[in-house]
Amino acid sequence: MLFSAKIGAIEFVENEVRVAVVKTGGRRPVLLEVQSRTAVYGEADERVPALAQALGEVIDGLKYPPTVFILCASGLYSVVRAITIPIRGRKRVLAAAQFELEPHLAFPIEELLLDFNLVAEVDGETEVLAVGVRRNHLEDQMAILAAAGIEVDAVNLDAVAMTGGQRVGERPEGH
């Protein structure tokens, strides 16, 4: 038996709010609907309430209300890196991962909220997938969600981030 849910994927793009409702549990996910609204505001301090109001209008207008919500964070404010760490053991690798990632960044690592996924252990080394989102960007979006009374169950990166900016049909480097 597959887990069935209606997932509301929320995305913020500048002053626009988008929500896609996807039903899972069958052979393939099914897109049930997509709604969007543009927030109108004059001053920067009006941005969060205006986007929260637009999000509320989108949620209220959905024909298929979601049972859970996820936030789709933009790849423009994210880092995805595969790194190899010269040690083994989950606890030791996760303790070293942040320090191994830091030289690959063009800005301070403190600006990121990070997560690491151990991919494989090979020849005494561990391959790790590091994913980070700019802290200030994610905090801004979480403030909008809180103002709208929406609690998300997860934060995922948009599809552009996961492809590393490749165009459709292009093969990843080294393949």
Side-chain angles (χ1 to χ4, degrees), residues 90-118:
R90 179 176 184 75
K91 195 172 188 174
R92 291 176 55 208
V93 169
L94 291 176
Q98 182 171 334
F99 302 105
E100 293 289 331
L101 175 64
E102 195 164 18
H104 300 279
L105 300 175
F107 48 84
I109 199 162
E110 294 80 20
E111 292 182 18
L112 292 174
L113 291 170
L114 293 167
D115 195 12
F116 300 96
N117 188 16
L118 278 57

Side-chain angles (χ1 to χ4, degrees), residues 19-164:
V19 177
V21 180
V22 177
K23 184 175 189 249
T24 63
R27 291 184 138 218
R28 294 186 179 148
V30 176
L31 178 63
L32 297 177
E33 68 180 303
V34 177
Q35 296 267 348
S36 67
R37 296 283 186 289
T38 300
V40 179
Y41 55 94
E43 301 297 322
D45 63 341
E46 298 171 345
R47 180 177 182 275
V48 169
L51 283 164
Q53 179 180 342
L55 177 57
E57 291 171 5
V58 169
I59 300 298
D60 290 344
L62 293 173
K63 295 176 194 165
Y64 303 96
T67 51
V68 296
F69 289 99
I70 63 167
L71 174 63
C72 293
S74 173
L76 296 173
Y77 305 98
S78 306
V79 172
V80 179
R81 295 281 186 274
I83 55 176
T84 302
I85 299 177
I87 55 177
R88 293 178 60 171
R90 179 176 184 75
K91 195 172 188 174
R92 291 176 55 208
V93 169
L94 291 176
Q98 182 171 334
F99 302 105
E100 293 289 331
L101 175 64
E102 195 164 18
H104 300 279
L105 300 175
F107 48 84
I109 199 162
E110 294 80 20
E111 292 182 18
L112 292 174
L113 291 170
L114 293 167
D115 195 12
F116 300 96
N117 188 16
L118 278 57
V119 177
E121 291 183 351
V122 179
D123 297 329
E125 297 183 326
T126 306
E127 296 174 13
V128 176
L129 181 64
V131 179
V133 177
R134 292 273 182 141
R135 184 179 304 273
N136 62 345
H137 180 71
L138 192 57
E139 288 171 350
D140 289 346
Q141 293 188 344
M142 295 303 286
I144 297 165
L145 292 165
I150 302 293
E151 189 173 322
V152 294
D153 293 287
V155 177
N156 291 322
L157 294 183
D158 62 13
V160 174
M162 300 307 291
T163 62

Side-chain angles (χ1 to χ4, degrees), residues 5-23:
K6 283 187 263 179
I7 301 170
I10 301 170
E11 178 181 42
F12 298 102
V13 179
E14 297 177 12
N15 62 340
E16 185 179 10
V17 176
R18 301 175 187 158
V19 177
V21 180
V22 177
K23 184 175 189 249

